[in-house]
Amino acid sequence: MTLTGNKGEWSEIYAFFKLLADGKVYNADGQLNRIKDLYLLIKEIIRSDKKNEGEYKYKIRPNKIAIIGNSVEKEVSREEFAKSAALLYNYIVKSNPSKSKALSFPEIETFMESVKCFALKAKSVDKADIRMIVHDMRTSMEHKLGFSIKSKLGGKSTLFNSNKDTTNFLYEVTGIDDNAVDAFNKEKLFSEKFKLLESCGGEIKYHSVVNKVFRDNLIYIDSDMEKIIALSMLQYYRHSGRSIADIIEIIQEKDPCGYNTSMDIYSHKIKQALVVFALGMTSATPWNGRWDASGGYLVIKEDGDVVCYHFYDRNDLEDYLYYNTGFETPSTTRHNFGNIYKEGGKYWLKLNLQIRFLH
């Protein structure tokens, strides 16, 4: 059966090939630039992607990749992985984005089968897209780590996905009547909705996260996290900006939590949330504080370079996420939000959370 996938899915195979060919991955600063002489040596990549095939280990030798698993042991030159990576990169970047998102590359699929790679995504129950044994040059220790992969070769990736059942935030609206509600709900653009609300004296007060699991997860990060995110979302939907950094600057000036300090507390707290979103938490599953993508982030740059944000270098990872992500509006009909409704004699409004990379 022909393998098909979008650019992001094929990018994971590209990263798999390239990392095996290179045998190392450089750390990056907050602007995606390689940090000279700071990298992880890759000893092997572990992959499992087909039922009944079990786990395959791709051990990196000086010139070969030893593939071991399911009573199979073979060697393939690293040069073949390098050639396939370069070919796949060209296919991905030259594919027409206006056509179907389902892309197939038969020549690449043939090579994948020869190296016991059967699917675009390795099987995973968490946020790790690739698992590797690496040698840390700074500690001289080996670790088995999971990394999340984000690609800049295709469309802009989401950092945190919306969900109609779990990512809605609830606000109480006061100072309005039924006529104002009707006018608000008829407007299509949120910027116009909130202008209308302001013109008629309406006020919005944050109430709660609709889903208890997600609320508890946010509290696990920080007791004020749900309020900070809720008020940041409100600024976004009011058309005060989109980027996380710009909106948090507004929140810092307003200081809704009453920290009354010149320290950048709000940016510090939201950075913690972004890292948690990136490496461990989902909105629907109770979070226990553990990192699923325990190694960090791998980013595939536009030029095909793959760089690493190791979890140990947390400041660089935080800066990358903070300065490169922004809020996004999901489908209002699909996610059941965006209109004011009356319940229990009060007016309520739901807004939905989704965060996407801007670049």
Side-chain angles (χ1 to χ4, degrees), residues 29-203:
D29 61 21
Q31 287 73 47
L32 280 179
N33 301 308
R34 281 188 180 188
I35 299 176
K36 186 179 180 181
D37 299 327
L38 187 57
Y39 56 85
L40 299 175
L41 279 176
I42 303 169
K43 309 296 287 186
E44 72 178 59
I45 295 179
I46 304 148
R47 188 175 173 91
S48 174
D49 60 17
K50 187 177 182 181
K51 188 178 180 181
N52 301 324
E53 280 289 334
E55 184 178 89
Y56 283 90
K57 296 179 180 179
Y58 298 79
K59 295 180 177 289
I60 299 178
R61 308 295 191 219
N63 298 307
K64 304 279 189 180
I65 303 297
I67 304 170
I68 303 169
N70 196 27
S71 302
V72 171
E73 183 165 352
K74 63 183 296 187
E75 289 188 336
V76 178
S77 72
R78 288 172 65 177
E79 181 62 25
E80 287 189 60
F81 279 95
K83 288 179 179 178
S84 293
L87 185 63
L88 179 53
Y89 171 78
N90 286 328
Y91 282 152
I92 293 172
V93 297
K94 291 179 180 179
S95 59
N96 191 340
S98 66
K99 293 183 178 180
S100 171
K101 293 182 179 179
L103 304 171
S104 62
F105 308 122
E107 188 174 353
I108 299 300
E109 186 175 352
T110 298
F111 179 73
M112 289 172 62
E113 291 175 356
S114 74
V115 297
K116 303 300 179 182
C117 180
F118 305 102
L120 298 186
K121 289 186 70 68
K123 288 192 297 185
S124 176
V125 295
D126 52 40
K127 287 203 169 187
D129 296 314
I130 191 168
R131 296 194 174 276
M132 306 188 293
I133 293 178
V134 301
H135 179 86
D136 192 323
M137 303 296 289
R138 289 170 293 183
T139 64
S140 296
M141 296 177 64
E142 289 190 1
H143 307 274
K144 181 179 179 180
L145 301 174
F147 290 84
S148 177
I149 299 174
K150 293 298 178 184
S151 173
K152 298 174 77 66
L153 303 183
K156 297 178 179 65
S157 304
T158 55
L159 175 73
F160 192 78
N161 288 312
S162 60
N163 184 298
K164 70 181 180 68
D165 297 316
T166 58
T167 57
N168 275 320
F169 286 62
L170 185 64
Y171 305 77
E172 183 181 355
V173 187
T174 59
I176 59 172
D177 56 22
D178 289 348
N179 291 330
V181 170
D182 290 339
F184 181 94
N185 292 343
K186 287 178 181 177
E187 293 288 350
K188 300 297 183 184
L189 300 177
F190 276 99
S191 57
E192 296 303 317
K193 285 175 178 283
F194 284 106
K195 282 181 184 177
L196 187 149
L197 205 58
E198 185 177 348
S199 68
C200 65
E203 295 185 0

Side-chain angles (χ1 to χ4, degrees), residues 126-310:
D126 52 40
K127 287 203 169 187
D129 296 314
I130 191 168
R131 296 194 174 276
M132 306 188 293
I133 293 178
V134 301
H135 179 86
D136 192 323
M137 303 296 289
R138 289 170 293 183
T139 64
S140 296
M141 296 177 64
E142 289 190 1
H143 307 274
K144 181 179 179 180
L145 301 174
F147 290 84
S148 177
I149 299 174
K150 293 298 178 184
S151 173
K152 298 174 77 66
L153 303 183
K156 297 178 179 65
S157 304
T158 55
L159 175 73
F160 192 78
N161 288 312
S162 60
N163 184 298
K164 70 181 180 68
D165 297 316
T166 58
T167 57
N168 275 320
F169 286 62
L170 185 64
Y171 305 77
E172 183 181 355
V173 187
T174 59
I176 59 172
D177 56 22
D178 289 348
N179 291 330
V181 170
D182 290 339
F184 181 94
N185 292 343
K186 287 178 181 177
E187 293 288 350
K188 300 297 183 184
L189 300 177
F190 276 99
S191 57
E192 296 303 317
K193 285 175 178 283
F194 284 106
K195 282 181 184 177
L196 187 149
L197 205 58
E198 185 177 348
S199 68
C200 65
E203 295 185 0
I204 300 176
K205 180 181 179 181
Y206 172 63
H207 184 270
S208 64
V209 179
V210 173
N211 181 269
K212 184 180 184 303
V213 170
F214 187 36
R215 178 179 182 273
D216 290 345
N217 284 352
L218 293 177
I219 292 173
Y220 201 113
I221 303 172
D222 187 279
S223 58
D224 285 333
M225 189 55 63
E226 61 168 313
K227 182 177 181 181
I228 293 171
I229 292 178
L231 297 179
S232 298
M233 287 169 57
L234 198 54
Q235 291 295 326
Y236 162 69
Y237 281 103
R238 278 175 166 157
H239 213 58
S240 299
R242 182 186 177 190
S243 82
I244 297 292
D246 289 346
I247 288 178
I248 291 300
E249 186 175 337
I250 297 172
I251 297 297
Q252 178 82 24
E253 292 177 0
K254 293 179 178 291
D255 190 19
C257 296
Y259 296 136
N260 192 28
T261 176
S262 60
M263 298 173 65
D264 294 332
I265 293 180
Y266 291 93
S267 63
H268 170 75
K269 287 178 180 288
I270 204 69
K271 285 178 180 180
Q272 312 312 301
L274 294 175
V275 171
V276 171
F277 292 163
L279 302 181
M281 181 200 289
T282 64
S283 61
T285 304
W287 187 57
N288 61 4
R290 296 184 63 86
W291 309 102
D292 292 331
S294 54
Y297 246 46
L298 298 176
V299 181
I300 305 170
K301 298 166 62 173
E302 290 95 335
D303 63 2
D305 192 18
V306 180
V307 293
C308 168
Y309 288 102
H310 194 292

